[in-house]
C-alpha cells in the first residue's frame, strides 16, 4: 500500500497575508502525522494543498511521487481517488441516508457495480468504525456528533484510499466521544494500513494518535518529530502552546 | 469604485460558472435519475401555484380588457387579446417570476447550505464534480419545466378569462373563441415558450451560482438567496425586453 506524502518548501499567500512560509514535511506510508496549531495558523490551507483544492505560490506536494499542484481537471480527479477526507463538521449529505452517503463515492466511481456488492462494501466499512447495519436507513439529522464522524470516516474509507485526511476530527466533541474518535483514527491506520494526516488544535488527542507531529506557528513548522521530541522542543511558542495543556495533567 | 470592481468580478465569475456548467452538461456520466428528481421538485411541485396565479391573471386580464373593449364596442375581442397577451408576454414572464420565488429560492438555499457545511467540498474530494452532480440536473430540469409550466399558466389563464367573460361580463362565447382562433398564431405561442426556456436557463444558473458562492453561515446563505431572487427577477425582465426589442423591434411578429 502506497501513500507516502512529501511536502517540499510550500509557500502560500492570500493577498497581503503570507499564510504558509516554507513548509517541508514527510509522512511515510502507513503512519499518522498530526499538524498541531492554533486557529488561523494555516493548518487547513496546508491540508487543502495536499488534496489539490489550493495551488501553492512556491514549493510542491508529492503523494506517491505524483506532483499534486501540477494536476488539472481529469488528472486531478483521478489523483483524488487516492484520498479520503473527513471534514470538521462531517459534511454528510443531508438529503441522503447513511447508506447512500457511505456508498456515494463508490457508486459514482464504479458505476455499474451491483447493488449487493455495494451493500456488502458499505456494511464492511461501517464495521471498521463500529457501526451496525441498523444505522443504514437513518438520515444524518438523526445521528449524534460522534456517529456522524464515524459515518464520515466510513464514507472516506469506502473506496480503499491510500491516504486519509482528517480536518479537526475532535473539535466540538465531548471528552468521551473525542476518545472514541481518537481510537477510530488509530484503528483505521492499524486495520487498513492507511497513511493519515490530521490537523488539530486538540493537544491531548494529537499526542494520542500521532506517530509524528508538527507544530504550525506563523506559517512555519516551529517543531516536528515524534510526540516525545516535540514535547521537549525549546521553541518558545511550542513550549507555551504545550504547557497550557501539560500543566493541567 | 471598489463596489463596481467587485460587481464586475462577481459577474465574470458567474459567466465562468455558466460556461463550466455547459461543458459538464455534455460530458458523461449523465444522470437522468437526478434530472427527474429536479423536474418533480421544480415542475410538479409548482403546478398548484402556477395554476392558481394563472387562473387569476386570466380573470383580471379579462375584466380589464373587457372594460377597455366595451368602450370601443369590441367585447368580442377580449378572448383574443387575453390569449395573445398571455402567450407572448404574461405567461412566460409571470410563470418565471413565480418560479424564481418558489423554486429558485429553494435551489439557492439548498446549495448554499451544502456549501457552508462543506458538503460541496466533500463531493469534490470524492472526485465527483459538484457542478455536474448538482447544477447540471437543476439546469436541465429548469430548461424543460419552465416552458411546460408556462403552457399550463397560459391554458388555465385562458380558462379563467373565458369563465369570467362568459359568465360575468356576458360576452357571447362564439366571438370570444372565434376571434382567438383568428388572432392567436402558432408563432405567438412559440415566441412565449422560447422565452420561457431562456428564462429557465438564466434562473437556474443564477440561483445555483448564488448557492455555490455562499459564504459564512446561515446569514450568508440567507443573503445569497435574497441576491439570487433579486438578480433572477431583474434578469428575466432585462432578457425579456432585449428579446422583444430584437424580434418585434426588427419587424417580426
Amino acid at each position: 500500500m502506497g501513500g507516502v506524502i512529501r511536502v517540499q518548501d510550500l509557500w502560500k499567500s492570500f493577498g497581503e497575508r503570507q499564510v504558509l512560509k516554507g513548509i517541508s514535511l514527510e509522512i511515510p506510508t502507513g503512519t499518522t502525522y498530526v499538524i498541531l496549531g492554533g486557529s488561523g495558523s494555516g493548518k487547513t490551507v496546508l491540508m487543502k494543498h495536499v488534496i489539490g483544492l489550493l495551488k501553492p505560490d512556491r514549493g510542491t506536494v508529492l503523494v506517491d511521487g505524483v506532483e499534486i499542484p501540477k494536476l488539472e481537471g481529469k488528472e486531478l480527479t483521478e489523483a483524488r481517488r487516492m484520498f479520503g477526507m473527513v471534514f470538521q463538521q462531517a459534511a454528510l449529505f443531508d438529503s441522503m441516508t447513511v447508506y447512500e452517503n457511505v456508498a456515494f463515492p463508490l457508486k459514482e466511481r464504479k458505476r455499474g457495480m451491483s447493488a449487493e456488492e455495494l451493500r456488502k462494501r458499505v456494511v464492511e466499512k461501517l464495521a471498521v468504525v463500529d457501526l451496525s447495519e441498523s444505522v443504514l436507513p437513518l438520515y444524518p439529522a438523526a445521528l449524534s456528533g460522534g456517529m456522524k464522524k464515524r459515518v464520515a470516516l466510513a464514507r472516506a474509507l469506502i473506496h480503499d484510499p491510500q491516504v486519509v485526511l482528517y480536518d479537526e476530527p475532535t473539535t466540538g466533541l465531548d471528552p468521551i466521544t473525542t476518545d472514541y474518535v481518537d481510537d477510530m483514527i488509530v484503528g483505521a491506520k492499524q486495520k487498513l494500513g492507511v497513511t493519515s494526516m490530521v490537523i488539530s488544535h486538540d493537544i491531548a488527542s494529537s499526542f494520542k494518535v500521532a506517530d509524528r507531529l508538527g507544530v504550525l506557528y506563523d506559517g512555519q513548522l516551529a517543531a516536528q518529530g515524534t510526540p516525545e521530541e516535540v514535547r521537549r522542543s525549546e521553541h518558545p511558542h511550542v513550549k507555551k502552546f504545550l504547557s497550557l495543556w501539560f500543566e493541567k495533567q | 469604485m471598489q463596489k463596481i470592481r467587485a460587481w464586475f468580478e462577481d459577474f465574470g465569475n458567474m459567466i465562468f460558472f455558466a460556461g463550466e456548467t455547459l461543458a459538464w452538461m455534455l460530458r458523461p456520466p449523465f444522470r437522468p435519475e437526478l434530472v427527474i428528481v429536479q423536474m418533480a421538485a421544480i415542475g410538479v411541485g409548482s403546478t398548484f401555484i402556477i395554476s392558481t396565479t394563472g387562473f387569476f391573471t386570466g380573470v383580471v386580464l379579462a375584466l380589464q380588457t373587457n372594460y377597455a373593449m366595451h368602450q370601443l364596442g369590441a367585447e368580442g375581442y377580449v378572448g383574443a387579446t387575453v390569449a395573445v397577451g398571455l402567450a407572448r408576454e404574461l405567461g412566460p414572464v409571470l410563470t418565471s417570476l413565480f418560479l424564481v420565488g418558489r423554486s429558485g429560492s429553494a435551489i439557492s438555499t439548498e446549495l448554499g447550505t451544502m456549501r457552508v457545511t462543506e458538503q460541496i467540498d466533500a463531493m469534490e474530494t470524492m472526485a465527483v464534480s459538484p457542478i455536474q452532480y448538482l447544477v447540471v440536473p437543476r439546469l436541465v430540469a429548469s430548461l424543460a419545466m419552465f416552458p411546460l409550466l408556462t403552457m399550463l399558466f397560459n391554458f388555465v389563464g385562458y380558462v379563467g378569462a373565458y369563465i369570467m367573460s362568459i359568465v360575468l361580463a356576458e360576452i357571447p362565447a362564439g366571438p370570444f373563441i372565434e376571434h382567438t382562433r383568428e388572432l392567436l398564431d402558432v408563432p405567438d405561442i412559440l415566441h412565449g415558450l422560447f422565452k420561457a426556456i431562456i428564462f429557465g436557463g438564466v434562473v437556474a444558473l443564477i440561483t445555483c451560482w448564488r448557492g455555490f458562492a455562499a459564504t459564512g453561515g446561515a446569514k450568508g446563505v440567507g443573503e445569497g438567496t435574497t441576491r439570487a431572487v433579486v438578480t433572477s427577477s431583474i434578469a428575466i425582465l432585462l432578457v425579456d425586453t432585449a428579446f422583444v426589442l430584437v424580434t418585434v423591434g426588427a419587424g417580426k411578429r
Side-chain angles (χ1 to χ4, degrees):
Chain A
M1 179 156 258
V4 52
I5 302 174
R6 265 194 204 96
V7 177
Q8 291 170 346
D9 193 29
L10 201 68
W11 292 73
K12 179 73 179 176
S13 61
F14 294 101
E16 299 283 289
R17 215 165 69 88
Q18 192 71 48
V19 180
L20 300 180
K21 304 172 186 169
I23 303 281
S24 294
L25 59 88
E26 187 176 331
I27 313 179
T29 303
T31 64
T32 302
Y33 192 105
V34 180
I35 313 270
L36 192 57
S39 311
S41 59
K43 305 184 297 272
T44 309
V45 174
L46 175 55
M47 182 171 271
K48 284 187 172 167
H49 278 90
V50 174
I51 196 164
L53 287 171
L54 288 173
K55 296 230 181 280
D57 299 335
R58 192 138 63 83
T60 192
V61 176
L62 295 155
V63 180
D64 259 356
V66 179
E67 207 169 343
I68 301 291
K70 288 213 169 138
L71 304 179
E72 290 283 349
K74 212 172 172 183
E75 289 171 342
L76 184 59
T77 307
E78 209 54 50
R80 287 209 176 118
R81 296 182 185 196
M82 293 192 287
F83 297 98
M85 184 159 175
V86 180
F87 285 81
Q88 192 174 344
Q89 309 290 341
L92 297 176
F93 303 125
D94 41 32
S95 60
M96 299 182 195
T97 62
V98 168
Y99 174 76
E100 289 164 335
N101 260 288
V102 178
F104 184 84
L106 208 55
K107 203 174 142 199
E108 288 304 320
R109 278 164 209 196
K110 294 192 178 162
R111 292 169 76 83
M113 186 183 231
S114 75
E116 298 87 63
E117 171 71 11
L118 202 57
R119 197 184 160 85
K120 206 185 109 204
R121 293 278 292 268
V122 170
V123 171
E124 198 180 289
K125 285 301 185 292
L126 280 177
V128 173
V129 295
D130 283 334
L131 284 175
S132 69
E133 283 184 52
S134 61
V135 299
L136 289 179
L138 300 179
Y139 281 90
L143 304 177
S144 68
M147 272 166 100
K148 277 186 196 160
K149 283 275 160 70
R150 282 191 266 166
V151 174
L153 179 59
R155 185 178 68 176
L157 294 174
I158 190 76
H159 60 289
D160 297 320
Q162 291 147 353
V163 178
V164 181
L165 307 174
Y166 299 87
D167 184 1
E168 309 244 357
T170 56
T171 299
L173 298 178
D174 63 81
I176 294 172
T177 316
T178 298
D179 204 47
Y180 198 91
V181 170
D182 292 342
D183 289 342
M184 180 181 96
I185 295 172
V186 174
K189 182 185 82 171
Q190 286 170 349
K191 288 179 206 166
L192 306 169
V194 292
T195 306
S196 314
M197 181 173 181
V198 182
I199 57 175
S200 178
H201 60 239
D202 181 338
I203 299 169
S205 94
S206 298
F207 274 78
K208 190 170 161 195
V209 302
D211 293 312
R212 287 174 68 80
L213 214 134
V215 182
L216 194 61
Y217 174 65
D218 193 25
Q220 289 175 313
L221 285 173
Q224 65 170 323
T226 62
E228 204 39 51
E229 283 165 4
V230 169
R231 201 170 167 163
R232 289 198 303 260
S233 164
E234 288 302 315
H235 190 285
H237 173 77
V238 177
K239 275 176 102 166
K240 191 177 159 201
F241 193 80
L242 297 184
S243 66
L244 291 173
W245 181 73
F246 282 114
E247 270 166 19
K248 277 195 252 166
Q249 298 301 300
Chain B
M1 197 63 208
Q2 195 86 36
K3 255 189 161 169
I4 297 172
R5 220 186 110 179
W7 189 88
F8 271 107
E9 213 174 281
D10 192 53
F11 187 72
N13 285 337
M14 203 188 82
I15 297 297
F16 185 73
F17 177 81
E20 242 185 310
T21 306
L22 294 180
W24 275 110
M25 211 166 137
L26 306 172
R27 259 194 255 179
F30 302 108
R31 298 181 170 87
E33 70 281 5
L34 294 181
V35 175
I36 290 169
V37 170
Q38 289 307 320
M39 280 172 129
I42 296 167
V44 183
S46 302
T47 46
F48 176 73
I49 182 174
I50 295 304
S51 311
T52 320
T53 51
F55 184 80
F56 287 108
T57 305
V59 164
V60 171
L61 205 54
L63 286 177
Q64 297 281 30
T65 314
N66 183 44
Y67 175 74
M69 293 290 186
H70 185 69
Q71 298 177 17
L72 300 169
E75 292 96 331
Y77 284 93
V78 167
T81 313
V82 169
V84 174
L86 282 174
R88 291 183 69 91
E89 201 54 48
L90 289 174
V93 170
L94 288 181
T95 303
S96 304
L97 288 175
F98 288 126
L99 287 178
V100 167
R102 192 193 168 275
S103 310
S105 57
I107 290 176
S108 252
T109 314
E110 188 181 356
L111 297 187
T113 306
M114 289 186 77
R115 166 61 81 197
V116 301
T117 54
E118 295 183 310
Q119 292 178 48
I120 291 178
D121 291 315
M123 196 174 277
E124 205 163 329
T125 63
M126 289 169 203
V128 174
S129 158
I131 291 190
Q132 194 182 32
Y133 195 88
L134 298 170
V135 182
V136 169
R138 285 167 172 80
L139 174 64
V140 175
S142 297
L143 290 174
M145 296 320 286
F146 272 57
L148 281 176
L149 288 164
T150 299
M151 283 159 85
L152 175 70
F153 187 96
N154 289 343
F155 174 72
V156 179
Y158 189 72
V159 170
Y162 180 85
I163 294 173
M164 200 40 66
S165 306
I166 308 304
V167 178
L168 256 186
E170 295 177 342
I171 297 168
F176 187 95
I177 306 266
E178 197 52 44
H179 288 306
T180 304
R181 280 218 184 112
E182 245 170 63
L183 289 176
L184 181 73
D185 291 334
V186 174
D188 292 321
I189 298 172
L190 292 183
H191 174 99
L193 294 184
F194 185 69
K195 285 202 293 196
I197 296 175
I198 299 177
F199 297 158
V202 168
V203 170
L205 287 171
I206 291 176
T207 53
C208 285
W209 161 243
R210 279 282 156 243
F212 263 58
T215 50
K219 194 163 171 276
V221 175
E223 282 168 3
T225 305
T226 306
R227 287 181 76 179
V229 170
V230 172
T231 318
S232 305
S233 307
I234 294 173
I236 287 174
L237 297 171
L238 283 181
V239 171
D240 186 48
T241 310
F243 192 84
V244 173
L245 277 177
V246 169
T247 54
V248 180
K252 289 181 206 153
R253 274 202 58 169

